[in-house]
Amino acid sequence: MPDPDDKVRAQYEAFPYPARDPKDEARRLVTGSPSHPLEIDHYIFAGRRDWSRPFRALVAGGGTGDGAVMLAQGLADRACPGEVVYLDLSAAARRIAEARARARGLGNIRFLTGSLHDAPALGPFDYIDCCGVLHHLAKPAAGLAALAAALEEEGGIGLMLYGELGRTGVYPVQAMLRRLCADAPDGEKLALARRLLRDLPASNWLKRNPLLSDHLSSEAGLYDLLLHSRDRAYRVGEVLDLLAGAGLRLVTFIEPLRYEPASYLRDPALRRMAAALDPPARAAFAEELCGSLKNHVLYAVKASRADDSVARPDEPGTVPVLRDIDGGALARGMPAGGALDAEFGGVPVSFPLPPLAAAILARCDGRRSLEEIRAALPGRPDWPAFKAQFDALYAVMNGVNRLLLRCPAGGGSR
Ligand SMILES: C[S@@+](CC[C@H](N)C(=O)[O-])C[C@H]1O[C@@H](n2cnc3c(N)ncnc32)[C@H](O)[C@@H]1O
């Protein structure tokens, strides 16, 4: 009997994904979610991960190496005696990932070619990344169960699964291409996909979906989006069911505010009604409302885990760490009593900020604790007054995934 993964493996042998050139490592590190070390620490280890202790991570379906390289570089930067195990069906993808690791001088990745269904034999792991892979399996639930079985009791998983509504238009085009050229050689399929794209009428849903551009940037992207032999997409409720089936529970979606109806609603009555829903129903509502969630990025831990795995800004010694932005620069562009303006799925969104937002952000340097920031503010507000302002700022900045926490026992700011 043919292996059900053969077609998927063949695709990623021919078109390793995403397209990456190891030479580019000299000029930039690709970072993202899931699996940024700050996020892992914040959402799975309550901000208290001691990076001087060994850490084992699995990158399941590691592709051309984005997640494995980011994680391995993060461990190296923290002098963490850790190991990242990279596992993928595709030897071609692995060769690119290996070349990227070599280009960075990273010696902390173990490269394996194989199926994530065999993960339990490689575990246990403190952390497992599985980004954009489960939705390509014949049995995603069995794949996630295998990953859960490879996870330490106190460990966590970072996932990315396709989102159904944000991918509106993809599946009819996939179906058309299958009708025309299911068994043609790859070159012909790609040529035909390009012809069809050029000829899509303005009313076609893919043509009308501004959120999808993967197919425009590379052959691998075009193949992955429109010619994949197997992919499916998920709604929020289905994601939660998938997690529950594997004995996992959701910690958070990233970015959290994308999953809050209030981010998109203006009508006060609707905002109130949506706010009264429980968190899963709010997330499902937000997905239905915005229609723009093309990927679900999330962190999950074992359902049996009793403690809160998330860092909270409750202790004066906690260190707020801004991610990928400079607090000073952000503060300079921010009028007092202003708002954070952003774009979610091409739609402008705006989140009001507390009066001290700019002054606090200017002092968030990844080293100062909340107490040190409070003490350095003009007028030195007392702790309750400061905390109220910080909490309001945190709800926004953490909600857009720019502000994470390191808690005292973890030591330091990384
Ligand atoms: C869309 S790519 C994602 C790559 C990478 N995780 C990323 O986000 O950049 C999917 C990858 O999963 C791999 N894959 C698919 N099924 C797999 C399986 N059962 N076990 C291991 N890898 C698998 C493919 O070979 C491919 O490299």
Side-chain angles (χ1 to χ4, degrees):
M1 216 168 78
D3 178 341
D5 289 334
D6 276 354
K7 277 191 163 175
V8 172
R9 183 188 296 109
Q11 171 182 334
Y12 289 110
E13 291 296 357
F15 301 102
Y17 186 89
R20 293 286 182 243
D21 182 347
K23 284 198 212 71
D24 291 336
E25 296 310 309
R27 58 171 187 84
R28 58 97 183 92
L29 173 69
V30 176
T31 60
S33 303
S35 302
H36 192 291
L38 276 173
E39 289 174 14
I40 294 173
D41 190 7
H42 180 106
Y43 287 112
I44 293 171
F45 298 104
R48 295 173 197 280
R49 169 72 208 177
D50 177 357
W51 295 106
S52 67
R53 285 180 29 240
F55 183 77
R56 285 197 85 221
L58 171 68
V59 181
T64 48
D66 282 3
V69 167
M70 171 174 65
L71 203 42
Q73 185 68 62
L75 296 183
D77 293 347
R78 289 161 177 76
C80 175
E83 176 187 50
V84 176
V85 176
Y86 162 106
L87 178 66
D88 200 289
L89 286 179
S90 160
R94 168 183 167 167
R95 281 192 292 277
I96 295 170
E98 280 176 317
R100 292 175 70 186
R102 257 196 318 277
R104 295 190 158 268
L106 292 170
N108 53 357
I109 309 182
R110 180 147 68 100
F111 289 93
L112 301 174
T113 301
S115 170
L116 62 78
H117 289 289
D118 299 328
L122 304 170
F125 294 98
D126 300 296
Y127 177 71
I128 298 176
D129 165 289
C130 190
C131 178
V133 184
L134 288 177
H135 46 234
H136 296 312
L137 303 187
K139 294 183 180 161
L144 187 57
L147 298 182
L151 193 63
E152 286 278 10
E153 281 310 304
E154 306 293 297
I157 293 193
L159 295 181
M160 187 279 271
L161 294 161
Y162 287 150
E164 185 185 305
L165 297 183
R167 281 170 73 80
T168 295
V170 168
Y171 296 101
V173 173
Q174 283 191 5
M176 282 188 281
L177 289 169
R178 266 197 296 274
R179 280 181 221 288
L180 294 182
C181 63
D183 298 319
D186 287 338
E188 269 177 44
K189 284 186 183 173
L190 284 164
L192 204 70
R194 286 197 197 92
R195 290 181 89 106
L196 182 59
L197 281 176
R198 277 196 300 273
D199 218 11
L200 289 176
S203 57
N204 175 273
W205 282 109
L206 182 65
K207 188 112 175 167
R208 297 169 80 162
N209 186 342
L211 304 165
L212 297 165
S213 55
D214 274 12
H215 53 303
L216 304 175
S217 54
S218 67
E219 270 195 346
L222 177 59
Y223 206 103
D224 211 67
L225 189 74
L226 300 179
L227 292 162
H228 210 291
S229 60
R230 192 165 66 204
D231 89 53
R232 57 154 301 179
Y234 290 80
R235 298 281 283 268
V236 161
E238 294 170 312
V239 172
L240 299 179
D241 289 346
L242 185 71
L243 293 177
L248 299 169
R249 72 172 150 85
L250 177 75
V251 174
T252 189
F253 286 113
I254 298 290
E255 300 103 321
L257 278 174
R258 287 187 192 256
Y259 290 80
E260 285 296 342
S263 300
Y264 312 96
L265 290 170
R266 279 191 291 268
D267 182 311
L270 289 174
R271 284 171 69 101
R272 258 196 320 279
M273 289 169 83
L277 299 171
D278 64 19
R282 282 211 308 279
F285 189 104
E287 176 182 43
E288 290 151 358
L289 179 65
C290 72
S292 61
L293 300 175
K294 59 178 182 165
N295 296 326
H296 297 298
V297 173
L298 64 94
Y299 288 98
V301 296
K302 291 206 167 174
S304 54
R305 191 167 160 181
D307 62 327
D308 182 4
S309 71
V310 183
R312 310 279 171 195
D314 294 337
E315 295 164 34
T318 294
V319 177
V321 187
L322 285 165
R323 179 181 160 184
D324 300 335
I325 40 169
D326 170 9
L330 192 64
R332 281 192 291 283
M334 191 174 277
L340 183 82
D341 295 325
E343 226 184 59
F344 282 178
V347 172
V349 287
S350 187
F351 303 101
L353 292 171
L356 283 179
I360 295 173
L361 283 171
R363 290 163 179 80
C364 283
D365 58 5
R367 285 185 296 276
R368 275 188 259 208
S369 67
L370 293 179
E371 172 55 20
E372 287 166 332
I373 292 171
R374 181 197 69 79
L377 286 172
R380 293 181 67 144
D382 62 17
W383 176 256
F386 166 75
K387 181 75 166 72
Q389 298 251 342
F390 184 81
D391 284 352
L393 172 65
Y394 177 77
V396 175
M397 298 303 293
N398 176 262
V400 295
N401 200 29
R402 293 308 183 116
L403 185 55
L404 297 150
L405 303 171
R406 289 282 294 146
C407 295
S413 61
R414 289 158 152 180

